[in-house]
Amino acid sequence: MTVLQNVGNWLSERLEWEELIAPLKKKTVPRHRLSYWYFLGGITLFLFIIQVLTGILLLLYYRPGASEAFESVQYIMTQVQFGWLIRSIHSWSANLMIFTAFAHMFSVLFLKAYRKPRELTWVTGVVLLVLVMGFGFSGYLLPWNTLAFFATKVGTDIAGQVPVIGHPIMVFLRGGEEVTGATLTRFFGFHVAVLPGLVFLLLVIHLLFVQRQGMSVPPRVEKEWEENPAARRELKFFPNFALRELMAWYVGLGVLGALAALFPWNLGVKADLFASAPAGIKPEWYFLFMFQALKLIPSKIWFMDGEVVGILTCALVGLLWMLLPFFESDRKARSQHWITGISVFALIFVVTMSVYGYVAK
Amino acid sequence: MAMLQSKSHASAFPRCLLATSLLLLAASLSHAQTKNSCLDCHSALPAQLGVTQEQFSHDVHEQKGLTCVSCHGGDPSSDDPAQAMSRKAGWKGPIERRQIPQLCGSCHSNPDFMRRYNPGLRTDQLAQYHTSVHGKRLAAGDSKVAVCTDCHGVHDLRAPNDPQSTVYATNVAKTCSHCHSDAHTMAGYKIPTDQYAKYTTSVHSQALMVRGDLSAPTCTTCHGNHGAAPPGVASVPQVCSTCHVFQAQMYEKSSHKAAFDSAKLPGCVVCHENHAIAHPTDAKLGTGPGAVCMQCHTPGDRCDQAREQILSQSTQLDTAIKAADQELALAEASGMEVSEARLGQNEARDALTKARVAVHSFQVKEVSANVQAGLKTANKDLAAGQQAMVERNHRRIGLGLSLLAIAIVLPGLWLYIGKIEK
């Protein structure tokens, strides 16, 4: 018996983990031609773990405050051993995480994995995506550079347009009427305390749902398996699926490392509160589709302000999007068709608006 | 009660009549005050005598409440031209060109009067005009020379800070050129007519017209406006020194000052010209095209040796700055953080500017002090750029090794999965 086994037995006697991991040993994952889409959620989780680890390391040197934030990030990038790597991985990983979260959401839609009984998994997933975008928005300001400063100004301005509650929300987000050092401190608090707490809670719930309900099988594959039960194939979650997931994580790690080494995240120029906004300022790519859509709305729609209509429409669409699984009627085939139609439209809309926003002046 | 009511109605009637009469009187008075028969007729007249309400509404005098009468006299309340333009009504008749400065000066040289409208405006324009070449020639009977209205316009005369004013900073050169670039008008004065063409090629024009820098000089900055005259040979350095302070201070202490003065040479203009002042480059210190030193100095003499050293040092710093810029740009393109070195480059560039300013002392040691300071910074920045590139290469080697490790692990995992699933 090896030392490792001895330690394992010793711990098992005290923690009784055999019982804890028993469900994992029994757990299986459906195996079919679309199984690779299952990896997206795991990759998003992997990138989140990277975010937490690199974020903790950055916290050792980062100093929130208008007079120190930029300099501290500059110090991390130039003086701290491997500081450039940690910061670049943190920034790249954040962007990749939002991308994989979006991809995961659309894969769930197209594979129809949101269906009963997984409605709440979908709801927690959509809320998680919103929170992850909140991570992006709050984290973008932390280096306190010119682009971040004006992007935050524009972003919080948009929030301020909401009737009645808009202005109080804007003041709450900014810590005052304007974007200042108080906003930075506040965003730092959201980024390292509030959002991680909420995301952790929802992530646990989301994963518990996934574990309890297992992986969804696409309707077409399900039908094939019903017609031919011999074709049904499954994979043990541990170690078979976990090892495959590990391979995906390794690939993700390689991509992250390559991006960080070949394209270190730019620091930009320190924010100047009295400077005029750079021409053609745009938000980060994941907000671009909403930004561009708002820009295309006429300034006046009937008697209402166009921007207000746009913001309220965005909020309403977001809410309906979160509740999408609940709109499925009992006549499944019919509702699935229109939900798939909406999903295709949403994907085309997001991609087109993002590209248009990127190329538009 | 009924009695009271009827009495009240009876007394209200005369009061009502009185009020109506007063209103009509006030209306007719008001009509008499605002009526301007001058514009009624002149707006319909052809160009030379025509003035429209639209034109006059832009005029700063109209905006301050002055009317045609203020300059021309007459009675604008009368629709009869004979009455409106009668000597009896104070009409001054057609105003001759030679009378214009005096007419404008009757208000603009009166501090008490001007205080009511624009207390900040100077009141010495007429006095200055009398000292100008224009004013002197006018006094001598030459009515072709510029008078107030030639530069400021008439009837739609705008304030000088109005961008559409003919004397707004960016419009001054064009306004002067109306006469000074016209060979026909200038015939007989024996002065060139290419000043405007030359000025538009100058560094000053570029700054003012292209970059919109309103502090950049135009004709009036060097020649004066109301007292316009060519700066004399002796006053050229003083004129230039109003902006180029350090260059002038160095020139004043230099050996060139005494030499130019004794040869009656116009200081700065000798090397830089007057209207076509080009952006100065190190080529001016060389021996090729655009060089100026060797126009007076003999090759191989003491001054030529000093020139050679100054040029060589200035070029050395310029080259060092460019080399550092190139290296830093390469590092930045590779995503390396070199903003501190970039900031340092500004210091090096400042040192080069100071060295070029110090050229006006014509002393090697003055230039050398600035060049050495700049070289120190530029070399440090170059080293920072090179270090960043070394670091970039280390990162790429590290990345290569990491990817190799991942590339080895992935097939291993794949094989292991295959083994446990067999």
Side-chain angles (χ1 to χ4, degrees):
Chain A
M1 193 173 278
T2 63
V3 179
L4 211 62
Q5 281 171 325
N6 281 332
V7 173
N9 289 340
W10 188 86
L11 282 173
S12 185
E13 279 172 16
R14 281 146 189 87
L15 298 172
E16 295 177 343
W17 69 19
E18 289 295 331
E19 281 181 35
L20 280 174
I21 60 168
L24 279 179
K25 280 185 176 173
K26 286 182 198 161
K27 187 177 163 60
T28 56
V29 175
R31 191 175 186 178
H32 50 81
R33 60 183 180 276
L34 297 168
S35 293
Y36 51 87
W37 288 107
Y38 294 149
F39 294 116
L40 275 173
I43 292 172
T44 310
L45 176 66
F46 165 71
L47 292 169
F48 179 72
I49 294 167
I50 295 277
Q51 284 302 98
V52 173
L53 295 177
T54 52
I56 290 169
L57 290 173
L58 288 173
L59 266 178
L60 300 180
Y61 289 96
Y62 178 75
R63 291 192 296 271
S67 59
E68 291 184 307
F70 182 85
E71 286 76 7
S72 67
V73 179
Q74 195 173 39
Y75 184 79
I76 289 169
M77 292 291 282
T78 55
Q79 306 298 319
V80 177
Q81 196 76 2
F82 293 112
W84 65 272
L85 184 65
I86 301 299
R87 192 209 163 214
S88 292
I89 285 186
H90 191 76
S91 301
W92 274 114
S93 167
N95 281 272
L96 288 181
M97 179 173 71
I98 293 173
F99 179 78
T100 54
F102 264 103
H104 179 46
M105 180 183 75
F106 278 107
S107 74
V108 166
L109 268 177
F110 292 127
L111 297 180
K112 310 201 187 304
Y114 56 82
R115 291 164 303 153
K116 188 181 173 182
R118 295 183 176 82
E119 297 98 326
L120 290 176
T121 321
W122 167 265
V123 171
T124 52
V126 171
V127 177
L128 271 171
L129 178 67
V130 172
L131 290 174
V132 161
M133 287 169 84
F135 260 121
F137 187 60
S138 57
Y140 192 55
L141 180 68
L142 300 189
W144 198 241
N145 59 31
T146 305
L147 281 179
F149 174 78
F150 285 105
T152 306
K153 204 167 158 54
V154 173
T156 47
D157 264 341
I158 291 172
Q161 297 291 320
V162 178
V164 188
I165 55 166
H167 187 256
I169 288 175
M170 188 192 79
V171 172
F172 170 71
L173 288 173
R174 289 181 175 181
E177 290 287 343
E178 296 295 329
V179 176
T180 60
T183 319
L184 177 63
T185 322
R186 199 159 278 226
F187 272 41
F188 176 69
F190 295 147
H191 195 76
V192 304
V194 180
L195 289 171
L198 288 173
V199 166
F200 183 75
L201 187 71
L202 273 163
L203 194 60
V204 168
I205 296 171
H206 190 74
L207 291 175
L208 272 176
F209 278 134
V210 174
Q211 292 310 311
R212 288 295 297 165
Q213 295 158 345
M215 299 290 197
S216 159
V217 179
R220 193 173 290 174
V221 176
E222 214 168 30
K223 199 178 167 194
E224 285 170 13
W225 285 357
E226 275 170 17
E227 287 166 2
N228 178 18
R232 183 183 293 272
R233 291 172 70 198
E234 283 180 339
L235 198 66
K236 280 175 80 180
F237 179 80
F238 194 84
N240 303 46
F241 183 80
L243 283 173
R244 283 178 168 81
E245 185 77 52
L246 187 65
M247 285 178 70
W249 289 19
Y250 256 116
V251 172
L253 189 66
V255 170
L256 260 184
L259 287 171
L262 297 175
F263 310 104
W265 205 261
N266 191 11
L267 178 57
V269 179
K270 187 177 177 175
D272 179 358
L273 272 61
F274 302 106
S276 50
I281 188 153
K282 289 171 190 170
E284 281 284 81
W285 63 268
Y286 39 87
F287 290 117
L288 211 50
F289 72 96
M290 279 190 275
F291 179 76
Q292 193 59 27
L294 285 176
K295 269 174 73 177
L296 292 178
I297 293 173
S299 59
K300 217 62 179 167
I301 297 175
W302 197 24
F303 64 93
M304 288 177 79
D305 186 79
E307 199 171 354
V308 172
V309 174
I311 293 163
L312 292 177
T313 310
C314 273
L316 184 67
V317 168
L319 185 70
L320 293 176
W321 191 254
M322 189 176 76
L323 301 174
L324 202 64
F326 300 102
F327 292 108
E328 268 209 354
S329 67
D330 291 336
R331 295 159 73 185
K332 278 187 179 174
R334 197 170 178 184
S335 71
Q336 278 170 14
H337 276 308
W338 73 256
I339 287 179
T340 305
I342 283 178
S343 311
V344 172
F345 174 77
L347 182 61
I348 292 170
F349 178 80
V350 169
V351 172
T352 311
M353 281 295 157
S354 299
V355 173
Y356 182 30
Y358 183 75
V359 296
K361 285 183 180 171
Chain B
M1 191 70 182
M3 273 290 279
L4 276 173
Q5 275 178 349
S6 126
K7 205 172 176 179
S8 138
H9 279 149
S11 64
F13 179 71
R15 281 213 300 271
C16 198
L17 192 66
L18 180 70
T20 311
S21 309
L22 283 171
L23 272 172
L24 283 170
L25 181 68
S28 64
L29 279 173
S30 148
H31 176 70
Q33 276 170 358
T34 54
K35 181 175 170 56
N36 189 345
S37 62
C38 313
L39 281 176
D40 293 344
C41 295
H42 281 269
S43 58
L45 290 176
Q48 205 178 350
L49 290 169
V51 185
T52 62
Q53 176 61 51
E54 199 273 331
Q55 248 182 318
F56 195 45
S57 67
H58 299 305
D59 196 294
V60 68
H61 299 111
E62 197 268 355
Q63 288 160 7
K64 296 279 182 185
L66 300 176
T67 64
C68 312
V69 179
S70 311
C71 296
H72 296 280
D75 178 10
S77 65
S78 172
D79 286 328
D80 176 10
Q83 164 60 25
M85 294 190 291
S86 68
R87 296 285 177 185
K88 198 176 161 190
W91 185 60
K92 295 174 184 170
I95 298 165
E96 290 179 35
R97 280 179 65 76
R98 60 185 174 82
Q99 292 174 329
I100 289 173
Q102 213 59 46
L103 176 66
C104 298
S106 63
C107 294
H108 281 272
S109 297
N110 182 346
D112 287 335
F113 183 82
M114 290 309 294
R115 200 174 293 128
R116 280 187 268 159
Y117 296 98
N118 189 351
L121 196 67
R122 293 169 63 149
T123 52
D124 62 349
Q125 296 95 331
L126 183 61
Q128 280 203 28
Y129 180 75
H130 288 320
T131 69
S132 72
V133 173
H134 299 140
K136 284 176 183 169
R137 284 192 171 270
L138 187 75
D142 181 358
S143 60
K144 270 172 68 184
V145 295
V147 294
C148 314
T149 50
D150 291 313
C151 302
H152 291 277
V154 62
H155 300 134
D156 62 347
L157 194 159
R158 295 164 194 255
N161 57 3
D162 180 337
Q164 290 190 56
S165 164
T166 48
V167 291
Y168 186 69
T170 51
N171 300 331
V172 166
K174 192 79 190 162
T175 300
C176 297
S177 76
H178 283 150
C179 297
H180 283 275
S181 297
D182 181 359
H184 178 69
T185 309
M186 287 294 118
Y189 293 116
K190 292 180 183 166
I191 56 173
T193 52
D194 60 354
Q195 300 96 323
Y196 178 70
K198 282 183 167 176
Y199 172 76
T200 52
T201 66
S202 73
V203 68
H204 292 149
S205 171
Q206 288 291 307
L208 181 64
M209 308 296 194
V210 180
R211 296 211 312 270
D213 178 357
L214 297 180
S215 68
T218 182
C219 313
T220 51
T221 317
C222 302
H223 294 278
N225 42 22
H226 300 104
V233 167
S235 58
V236 166
Q238 272 69 41
V239 169
C240 300
S241 75
T242 52
C243 299
H244 300 281
V245 181
F246 297 113
Q247 288 91 332
Q249 282 174 357
M250 288 176 175
Y251 170 77
E252 284 292 319
K253 292 178 196 162
S254 75
S255 53
H256 280 84
K257 161 78 175 154
F260 283 10
D261 283 353
S262 64
K264 295 200 183 328
L265 289 170
C268 317
V269 171
V270 176
C271 302
H272 295 281
E273 297 194 31
N274 49 7
H275 297 110
I277 299 168
H279 181 75
T281 62
D282 289 341
K284 274 195 178 303
L285 295 166
T287 52
V292 290
C293 304
M294 301 317 287
Q295 288 173 6
C296 301
H297 292 282
T298 314
D301 70 5
R302 189 170 56 86
C303 299
D304 184 31
Q305 286 169 12
R307 174 201 64 78
E308 182 70 45
Q309 285 181 53
I310 289 173
L311 175 63
S312 148
Q313 292 198 7
S314 185
T315 310
Q316 191 189 358
L317 177 55
D318 192 31
T319 310
I321 290 172
K322 282 177 182 157
D325 271 342
Q326 207 174 357
E327 193 69 21
L328 290 172
L330 198 62
E332 268 179 347
S334 306
M336 304 305 292
E337 168 56 36
V338 286
S339 57
E340 273 188 38
R342 277 282 189 209
L343 210 61
Q345 282 296 88
N346 291 341
E347 276 178 40
R349 263 184 277 277
D350 283 349
L352 181 60
T353 305
K354 284 179 187 169
R356 283 169 174 163
V357 169
V359 168
H360 297 88
S361 70
F362 308 101
Q363 295 286 327
V364 177
K365 64 173 183 190
E366 294 280 345
V367 177
S368 188
N370 290 302
V371 166
Q372 291 312 316
L375 276 176
K376 197 176 162 190
T377 314
N379 289 336
K380 201 174 107 190
D381 297 338
L382 178 68
Q386 287 167 338
Q387 182 56 40
M389 291 307 289
V390 171
E391 168 73 15
R392 183 204 71 164
N393 294 340
H394 285 164
R395 288 180 187 186
R396 292 189 174 179
I397 292 168
L399 171 69
L401 293 173
S402 308
L403 291 180
L404 186 68
I406 290 172
I408 292 168
V409 169
L410 281 176
L413 273 173
W414 185 247
L415 289 173
Y416 180 69
I417 291 168
K419 187 183 161 193
I420 59 173
E421 284 181 1
K422 208 173 253 182

